[in-house]
Amino acid sequence: SQTIHQWPATLVQPVGSPLSLECTVEGTSNPNLYWYRQAAGRGLQLLFYSVGIGQISSEVPQNLSASRPQDRQFILSSKKLLLSDSGFYLCAWNPETERGAFFGQGTRLTVV
Amino acid sequence: EDQVTQSPEALRLQEGESSSLNCSYTVSGLRGLFWYRQDPGKGPEFLFTLYSAGEEKEKERLKATLTKKESFLHITAPKPEDSATYLCAVQVWGGAQKLVFGQGTRLTINP
């Protein structure tokens, strides 16, 4: 069966520090992968998506970047975090079934 | 631009008090409309997919319906364990199957 792993679960980082969030998917090949961010009490905003290795599309201009170094690995990064980068980050993949997307358990990022 | 608007933002009900959540959408070409449940600090969990106007899906106390402009999530005789944020999302044709989400409805069921 397919599973999605996302870590860490929580992260507290100082302003100006770097960021690396990792997401991996098991049990499938060549999945579409997504990074979403959820502000407190709000819906999910799509940040990046990838349809293959090295292929990254950005939805919103921001302080973040994404990379896909392997087929089932998706990384969200920042060189210098801002306070506004705080939020709940969710990785997802599309199984091309009626479920739309499977989500990881999320990373709560607090920039202080 | 594809848009999804959910209402109300928050809803408090007594246990057993039925109600409906609304999801209005404007899209270029609807591939599917999805309902998810999200518990605090967790990722969204899939509930339903609706593809065409007139379609209905049911699961326990939940029933989702779809028209050409909106979807409703009906909750019948809710229990406290139904408390969660309910998210609506649309997927359009093309565009790598991206989901566009509404802001969610935070539902609280009081015992």
Side-chain angles (χ1 to χ4, degrees):
Chain A
S1 63
Q2 302 93 349
T3 57
I4 180 168
H5 301 281
Q6 186 181 343
W7 66 92
T10 60
L11 193 58
V12 180
Q13 292 284 99
V15 169
S17 64
L19 173 73
S20 180
L21 302 181
E22 189 165 342
C23 170
T24 60
V25 181
E26 296 179 356
T28 186
S29 60
N30 197 31
N32 288 349
L33 296 172
Y34 311 85
W35 278 111
Y36 289 88
R37 178 170 60 198
Q38 187 174 32
R42 304 297 299 273
L44 278 65
Q45 180 187 37
L46 181 62
L47 302 177
F48 301 95
Y49 68 92
S50 172
V51 299
I53 296 174
Q55 301 180 61
I56 307 296
S57 296
S58 174
E59 289 289 293
V60 181
Q62 60 212 316
N63 185 43
L64 302 169
S65 62
S67 62
R68 185 169 177 175
Q70 300 181 40
D71 181 43
R72 289 170 287 177
Q73 183 184 31
F74 204 22
I75 298 172
L76 183 69
S77 304
S78 174
K79 292 182 179 179
K80 291 185 178 181
L81 284 168
L82 306 172
L83 288 174
S84 57
D85 292 323
S86 294
F88 191 50
Y89 289 83
L90 287 155
C91 179
W93 74 282
N94 184 322
E96 296 192 13
T97 68
E98 65 170 16
R99 289 181 173 264
F102 281 109
F103 289 87
Q105 286 303 295
T107 296
R108 172 73 60 193
L109 172 65
T110 304
V111 182
V112 296
Chain B
E1 182 182 351
D2 302 318
Q3 289 188 331
V4 179
T5 302
Q6 290 186 247
S7 61
E9 289 190 9
L11 180 63
R12 284 185 175 272
L13 301 172
Q14 290 298 122
E15 183 172 2
E17 181 184 1
S18 302
S19 188
S20 297
L21 313 183
N22 178 263
C23 171
S24 298
Y25 63 92
T26 305
V27 297
S28 52
L30 183 69
R31 186 178 193 224
L33 185 141
F34 303 84
W35 282 98
Y36 292 88
R37 169 190 170 128
Q38 186 178 25
D39 293 307
K42 299 292 182 66
E45 292 184 7
F46 170 80
L47 292 174
F48 302 109
T49 307
L50 302 166
Y51 292 106
S52 57
E55 189 174 1
E56 299 181 353
K57 295 274 182 73
E58 283 190 73
K59 179 181 179 180
E60 296 181 354
R61 295 176 292 280
L62 299 176
K63 178 181 177 181
T65 61
L66 181 65
T67 72
K68 289 186 178 180
K69 293 184 178 181
E70 58 190 351
S71 176
F72 292 94
L73 185 65
H74 306 279
I75 302 177
T76 302
K79 299 180 179 181
E81 54 262 40
D82 294 321
S83 297
T85 295
Y86 290 85
L87 297 168
C88 171
V90 297
Q91 190 178 69
V92 299
W93 291 102
Q97 291 89 47
K98 296 177 290 183
L99 294 175
V100 178
F101 281 85
Q103 73 274 31
T105 293
R106 188 171 64 256
L107 177 66
T108 304
I109 308 299
N110 296 316

